[in-house]
Amino acid sequence: MALTHEPTAPYHSAQDALRVLETVARHTSGVTDTEIARHTGLGAERLTGLLRMLRREGYVEQVTDGAYVTGIALARLGSAQNREEALHEQLQRTLDRLRDSVGAAVYISRYVDGEVKVTQYADGPATPAVNEWVDFRYSAHATAVGKSLLGQLDHNSRREHLSRHKMARLTSRTITSDKLLLSRLEAQPPTVPVLDLQEYAVGTVCAAVPITAGSSVGCLALSLPVERAHRLREAADTLNRNAAPVLLSLAI
C-alpha cells in the first residue's frame, strides 16, 4: 500500500484509513476498535468515522462479537487476478455515491503518458456529464481537470505539455496565454479546488481536486450546469472532503 504525502484532509484520512486496514489485516481472527486505537494511536472519534467509511466501502466487516475483519472489497483488490476490473467496479460504486452526495456529475481523471484522460465518471438524469465538444486531451488549459493535473506536474513538464497543445480559445473566458496560465498554476494552493467557470464550455462550471496515489497524477472533478453555479464551491468542498475513499482504492 502506498500513498504520496500531501497536506490535505483527504490524504490524511486515506493515510489513517490505510493504517487501520493494515491493523485489521494483521489480525486475521478479528480485532476490536479498542485494539485498533491502541495499534494506530487514533482517537475514538477519528477511528469511529474511519471505520464507518471502511465498512461502507466494503473494506472491513464487523463480526458478531463486534470485532473487525477484512471485507470482500479488500480481498478483491488484493487479488492479482482481475484487479483492474475489481478496482473499476469499486471506484464506480464510490463515484455513484459521490454523485448523489454532491448533486453533480463526478469524474476521475489521470495524467497518462503525457495526456489528460478521464478514466471513469458517474452522471445521471439530474446530474448530466459535461459535453466533450473538444477532446479533453487538447483542452487541459481550459478545464478544471486539466489544470488540476498540470498543477501537480513540475514547471518543465507543464511547459512541455503546453508546447504540444496549442491553447485554443474555447469561450470568451478561456486563458490562452501560457505565461498567465503557468503563473496561476504556480499560485494554486494544493488544498484549494481548481475551478473552471465556463472556460471550456458556455453553460458549464467545473471543479477539481488532486488525488495522487504513488507516482500516478490524478484528480477528482465535478461539473454543474451554469444555472447551479452558486453551488459550485460548496459542492467542490464536499467533493474534497469525501475524496479519501477514492484515494484509498487507488492506494491499496
Side-chain angles (χ1 to χ4, degrees):
M1 299 180 183
L3 193 69
T4 54
H5 172 75
E6 289 289 342
T8 62
Y11 281 87
H12 293 315
S13 293
Q15 286 169 336
D16 288 346
L18 280 175
R19 289 161 58 201
V20 173
L21 266 183
E22 287 164 351
T23 300
V24 175
R26 282 198 304 270
H27 296 78
T28 53
S29 59
V31 59
T32 66
D33 52 1
T34 302
E35 292 171 316
I36 296 171
R38 187 171 70 248
H39 285 292
T40 61
L42 293 168
E45 185 178 350
R46 175 74 164 162
L47 181 58
T48 298
L50 289 169
L51 285 169
R52 187 184 305 118
M53 183 265 282
L54 290 169
R55 287 178 67 186
R56 185 181 68 236
E57 297 293 324
Y59 290 125
V60 302
E61 295 173 5
Q62 199 168 16
V63 290
T64 50
D65 63 354
Y68 290 90
V69 296
T70 55
I72 191 168
L74 186 64
R76 285 173 180 158
L77 288 182
S79 170
Q81 187 178 18
N82 299 325
R83 174 180 157 73
E84 286 304 311
E85 181 182 347
L87 178 60
H88 188 278
E89 291 174 356
Q90 181 72 19
L91 288 172
Q92 194 61 49
R93 285 191 291 270
T94 302
L95 288 178
D96 289 345
R97 279 195 291 270
L98 275 174
R99 173 201 60 207
D100 295 340
S101 65
V102 302
V106 293
Y107 314 78
I108 294 176
S109 185
R110 312 289 284 277
Y111 196 71
V112 182
D113 298 329
E115 301 295 351
V116 171
K117 184 178 181 182
V118 174
T119 54
Q120 272 179 263
Y121 67 95
D123 64 350
T127 53
V130 65
N131 174 34
E132 188 180 354
W133 75 284
V134 175
D135 194 316
F136 290 140
R137 290 176 296 173
Y138 309 130
S139 54
H141 64 291
T143 65
V145 159
K147 288 184 285 185
S148 179
L149 296 175
L150 292 177
Q152 296 173 65
L153 306 179
D154 61 38
H155 182 76
N156 288 338
S157 297
R158 293 171 190 165
R159 292 194 68 90
E160 191 276 333
H161 180 94
L162 295 177
S163 73
R164 289 186 286 112
H165 297 298
K166 177 177 170 57
M167 294 174 61
R169 186 176 297 282
L170 306 183
T171 77
S172 62
R173 294 172 176 263
T174 307
I175 297 173
T176 56
S177 160
D178 58 350
K179 184 177 180 181
L180 177 57
L181 179 64
L182 288 168
S183 69
R184 289 197 178 177
L185 292 175
E186 292 284 353
Q188 176 73 29
T191 54
V192 177
V194 178
L195 303 182
D196 157 19
L197 304 175
Q198 300 189 89
E199 295 167 56
Y200 172 75
V202 174
T204 301
V205 295
C206 306
V209 296
I211 48 164
T212 306
S215 59
S216 175
V217 171
C219 73
L220 190 60
L222 65 86
S223 66
L224 286 167
V226 71
E227 57 267 24
R228 300 183 202 162
H230 61 282
R231 292 191 52 241
L232 182 63
R233 290 185 185 277
E234 178 191 358
D237 289 341
T238 302
L239 188 74
N240 201 16
R241 285 196 308 272
N242 291 281
V246 176
L247 272 166
L248 190 59
S249 297
L250 294 173
I252 290 172

